[in-house]
Amino acid sequence: ELIEHVKTLDPDDMRIDRAQDSIERLYTNFDEHFYKLKNELEERLALLENMHSALLPATAEIEGQIKQRLLDKLANSNLPVDINDERFLKEMLYYADKSDVTEELTRLSSHFVQFRNFLNGTPGGGRSMDFLVQEMFREITTLGNKAGSGPVAEIVVRFKSELEKIREQIQN
């Protein structure tokens, strides 16, 4: 719109030429910066998706590990426990179920799709992307808290680090 207005002015005025050149350079610089930022965010999102894929097998064993830890603690406590007692088994299943991270992994996948849509031009970018990054932080934190195991914790730390880099880019 500004360029069109400048074009209506006296073409013999050198200031107009310089202003038009400056505006065109500004648009070119903006476009270059935008595409570089978009590419960087896409690369970081791909890293998050790879870490998500690595979490799938790492989290598959969590429920069994928690059950085993509980049984080991009970055995070491020297408490008389009948592992065939229905009430006891229900409690064990309750604690094991609380460690299920399927929902968090599913929501992360959904957030990845939404984030990619914003990168590809879905209206509402900026603040919505920031909100999605916040949601991803919540999901990965919950997952890390539930899992509590070495390999998962390592991936969670790297995941959060990449998310923080994305947040910084979006907020700038």
Side-chain angles (χ1 to χ4, degrees), residues 84-96:
N84 295 318
D85 178 24
E86 185 178 333
R87 209 169 102 221
F88 171 75
L89 290 173
K90 284 181 182 178
E91 287 293 319
M92 289 285 289
L93 288 173
Y94 171 77
Y95 285 109

Side-chain angles (χ1 to χ4, degrees), residues 33 37 40-41 115 125-135 137 162-172:
H33 178 71
L37 177 60
E40 181 178 339
L41 291 173
F115 196 88
R127 287 187 181 178
S128 297
M129 291 171 82
D130 191 38
F131 175 75
L132 276 175
V133 168
Q134 250 182 321
E135 289 300 305
F137 262 112
E162 286 303 318
L163 266 180
E164 187 57 41
K165 292 172 187 173
I166 289 173
R167 182 192 315 220
E168 288 173 11
Q169 287 296 340
I170 291 171
Q171 290 178 346
N172 288 332

